[in-house]
């Protein structure tokens, strides 16, 4: 069951510290058919509706090369989410799970990610399928799907390190 903004039985909210300015820049805006959190899909599907990612100036040249990748990771800011729940009850049945064990949009930093299927790029607009966010959702970043991406620079030492971090 999708929430608007309520606290459900079993859920725990905290008083979050004031947000700091991490220096994030919204590089675009995502246009989708969904205008309500109650009707948006919980995860995008490759056969979902065609959505439009508008890239703002001056970031348009950063699209060069994106057309090589049939799948791209879209990273967005779920701007209407509350940010204070540490335990949530997705089924609204009185049982709760930790926020970090969920893909809920409600999180301290409401970042959403989706692997989208690239349809085409026209000037400053990227057309994709596979999104689940509301119309007008701010865009944070685009990256090639990591399973399709091979680093372009030569290998470096850390690529092969296996030691654990125990500090
Ligand atoms: N695919 C992303 C992920 O896994 O990180 C987001 C998944 S989240 C479960 C998707 C839900 O977030 C949608 O069904 C909708 O209820 C909600 N949502 C979508 N866009 C939003 C926005 N801009 N602000 C707040 N909630 C949003």
């Amino acid at each position: 069951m999708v929430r608007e903004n309520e606290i459900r039985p079993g859920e725990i909210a905290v008083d979050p510290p004031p947000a700091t300015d991490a220096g994030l820049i919204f590089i675009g805006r995502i246009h989708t058919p969904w205008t309500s959190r109650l009707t948006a899909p919980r995860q995008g599907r490759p056969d979902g509706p065609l959505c439009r990612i508008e890239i703002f100036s001056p970031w348009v040249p950063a699209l060069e090369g994106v057309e090589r990748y049939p799948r791209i990771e879209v990273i967005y800011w779920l701007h209407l989410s509350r940010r204070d729940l540490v335990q949530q009850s997705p089924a609204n049945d009185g049982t709760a799970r930790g926020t970090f064990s969920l893909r809920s949009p409600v999180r301290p930093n409401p970042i959403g990610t989706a692997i989208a299927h690239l349809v085409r790029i026209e000037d400053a607009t990227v057309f994709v399928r596979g999104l689940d966010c509301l119309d007008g959702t701010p865009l944070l970043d685009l990256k090639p799907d990591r399973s399709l991406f091979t680093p372009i620079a030569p290998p470096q030492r850390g690529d092969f390190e296996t030691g654990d971090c125990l500090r």
Side-chain angles (χ1 to χ4, degrees):
M1 217 185 311
V2 171
R3 78 180 58 240
E4 278 288 7
N5 258 321
E6 82 280 16
I7 296 255
R8 298 169 176 169
E11 292 191 328
I12 300 174
V14 296
D15 240 345
T20 55
D21 178 5
L24 292 178
I25 296 167
F26 294 156
I27 58 156
R29 187 180 299 118
I30 304 178
H31 301 276
T32 72
W34 303 292
T35 54
S36 161
R37 279 175 281 182
L38 305 179
T39 55
R42 277 178 288 189
Q43 291 294 338
R45 301 159 41 129
D47 60 351
L50 190 63
C51 298
R52 200 159 53 81
I53 303 175
E54 171 195 356
I55 305 294
F56 298 151
S57 172
W59 311 111
V60 180
L63 286 175
E64 200 280 319
V66 172
E67 73 285 350
R68 293 164 193 265
Y69 296 96
R71 293 193 307 274
I72 53 175
E73 192 171 354
V74 183
I75 301 158
Y76 38 95
W77 189 255
L78 296 156
H79 64 308
L80 300 178
S81 290
R82 60 185 302 158
R83 302 173 64 169
D84 59 344
L85 295 189
V86 289
Q87 298 229 339
Q88 304 182 40
S89 178
N92 200 359
D93 60 358
T95 64
R97 281 177 58 174
T99 291
F100 302 146
S101 74
L102 300 170
R103 292 206 68 101
S104 161
V106 174
R107 41 206 327 114
N109 294 305
I111 291 170
T113 67
I115 298 295
H117 291 245
L118 180 64
V119 176
R120 64 180 186 277
I121 300 176
E122 281 174 17
D123 305 319
T125 306
V126 183
F127 292 87
V128 298
R129 296 185 193 276
L131 294 181
D132 51 26
C133 58
L134 296 179
D135 190 41
T137 295
L139 177 69
L140 289 174
D141 207 352
L142 296 177
K143 302 185 188 194
D145 175 346
R146 86 185 62 214
S147 67
L148 301 176
F149 184 75
T150 309
I152 291 158
Q156 57 192 34
R157 212 183 66 197
D159 295 344
F160 307 104
E161 252 163 41
T162 54
D164 296 331
C165 178
L166 298 174
R167 279 179 291 136

